[in-house]
Amino acid sequence: MTTTLAVVAEPDRGTTPDPARRHWRALVLVLLLAAAVVTASLLVGSRTISPAVLFDSSHPQHPIALARFPRTALALAVGAALALSGACMQGLTRNPLADPGILGVTAGASFAMVVAISFVGISTLTGRLFFALLGAALAAVLVHALAGLGRDGATPVKLAIAGAALTAALTSWTSGILLSDRRTMEVFRFWQVGTVGGRGWDVLAAGAPFLVLGVLLAAYGARVLDLLALGDDLARGLGRRVWLDRAVVGLAIVLLAGAATALAGPIAFVGLVVPHAVRALVGAHHTRLLPWSAVGGALLVTAADTLGRVVLPPTEVQVGIMTAVVGLPFFFHLIRRGRVSGL
């Protein structure tokens, strides 16, 4: 008997990893990766500069370095917003395919901006932001209304079908307006492919209030999404007002996806791929999933933008194209490894 107890009580000799130590190692690795990505974004491009240029205001290449600071900051902000909105959308709809691009939010923002430029004559960034957010909100409401028709309500499959149908319709209408309005086409064509190049601090400052509010609402919704994952009835039993919780998280999605789209154009795959990759690493709890998704999205968009500057010299490949090139094979890899699962 004594021998048996001694075997059971034998201390762990390191075979089981310490969770706290593992989290600290992951945090250090992410910080090192973030430093490497940000540094590369500041130094690498059609003209690669040395780190000393960043701190030497008299150097002839110093203006190039200064121009890359807002570009890098915008890439970090847009990537974080898109990945965060995708993670919130997948949790809110319980749909592993949910993404601002698939569920019509991005197409709604694009269509509203084209209408504002072509028919209303909006030329200011603030005006475009307002219409982009309005279009994103209306598209999200319309997709959920269409998916809610019939029996069983807004199931994940019906949401995906309604979002794909609305995206196809809005994209067609957007193309029709652009083909008939050359002036709007000239304004819209560089934005349409998704890019963070050529933007200054004023662009980021105009969208920052919406992004910050969206992040705060998403942070509030982290624990709410974990409760909603248990089912609406159980969430009501735990004292939650489900309709209010869904409205708050939905508003966060609209603010994050709409503002990011207005600032940089439609950038695909970030909101779809990053939450799945992060979920495979940290689990499905939204208190961990949301912040790590924001970090992953920021690094992915910044790295894709940097890679796009050097992949086809002397021209640049826009970040919206690079995220699709990088994101699609990675998403197939996740599917093959069985990392994409229902929510």
Side-chain angles (χ1 to χ4, degrees):
M1 182 66 181
T2 304
T3 303
T4 303
L5 288 176
V7 171
V8 172
E10 185 176 1
D12 185 1
R13 298 183 182 280
T15 56
T16 303
D18 183 3
R21 182 181 299 176
R22 188 176 56 191
H23 290 161
W24 276 110
R25 286 178 179 173
L27 180 60
V28 171
L29 287 176
V30 169
L31 290 176
L32 291 175
L33 180 60
V37 169
V38 170
T39 302
S41 178
L42 295 174
L43 302 181
V44 178
S46 57
R47 288 188 179 181
T48 300
I49 61 178
S50 68
V53 175
L54 298 175
F55 309 100
D56 185 1
S57 59
S58 62
H59 197 282
Q61 292 181 328
H62 190 66
I64 299 176
L66 291 181
R68 288 177 182 167
F69 274 101
R71 178 172 185 164
T72 302
L74 183 61
L76 291 170
V78 168
L82 289 175
L84 193 54
S85 65
C88 288
M89 186 172 286
Q90 291 173 9
L92 185 65
T93 62
R94 299 171 203 167
N95 186 345
L97 296 178
D99 170 80
I102 293 177
L103 294 192
V105 176
T106 303
S110 302
F111 179 71
M113 284 186 61
V114 170
V115 170
I117 297 171
S118 181
F119 298 107
V120 187
I122 296 295
S123 59
T124 63
L125 178 60
T126 305
R128 295 175 190 172
L129 262 171
F130 170 77
F131 276 92
L133 293 172
L134 180 63
L138 292 177
V141 172
L142 184 56
V143 166
H144 279 77
L146 291 173
L149 298 176
R151 294 188 302 175
D152 302 329
T155 63
V157 174
K158 291 169 68 177
L159 279 170
I161 294 174
L166 184 64
T167 298
L170 292 175
T171 303
S172 299
W173 296 339
T174 300
S175 299
I177 295 173
L178 292 176
L179 290 174
S180 62
D181 188 343
R182 190 178 184 84
R183 181 182 60 85
T184 303
M185 170 69 90
E186 291 297 323
V187 176
F188 193 74
R189 65 191 179 100
F190 290 107
W191 176 88
Q192 191 176 21
V193 293
T195 181
V196 294
R199 268 75 162 170
W201 288 112
D202 58 325
V203 175
L204 183 57
F210 303 101
L211 295 176
V212 171
L213 181 57
V215 170
L216 293 177
L217 293 177
Y220 164 82
R223 187 170 179 274
V224 169
L225 289 172
D226 285 334
L227 293 176
L228 292 178
L230 302 175
D232 289 357
D233 292 337
L234 186 54
R236 290 190 189 94
L238 293 173
R240 303 302 309 181
R241 286 183 288 183
V242 174
W243 67 270
L244 180 59
D245 291 338
R246 288 187 175 279
V248 170
V249 179
L251 180 59
I253 294 170
V254 169
L255 288 171
L256 292 169
T261 304
L263 295 178
I267 298 178
F269 281 103
V270 178
L272 177 64
V273 171
V274 172
H276 281 296
V278 173
R279 192 176 289 111
L281 296 175
V282 304
H285 289 288
H286 290 86
T287 50
R288 294 193 297 270
L289 176 64
L290 296 190
W292 284 111
S293 293
V295 173
L299 296 181
L300 174 61
V301 171
T302 307
D305 177 55
T306 305
L307 185 62
R309 302 176 203 168
V310 296
V311 70
L312 287 176
T315 62
E316 290 189 4
V317 180
Q318 281 74 17
V319 65
I321 300 173
M322 289 305 302
T323 54
V325 172
V326 175
L328 187 59
F330 185 64
F331 190 61
F332 285 155
H333 171 71
L334 290 177
I335 293 175
R336 289 191 60 188
R337 296 286 301 271
R339 298 292 181 87
V340 177
S341 59
L343 303 175

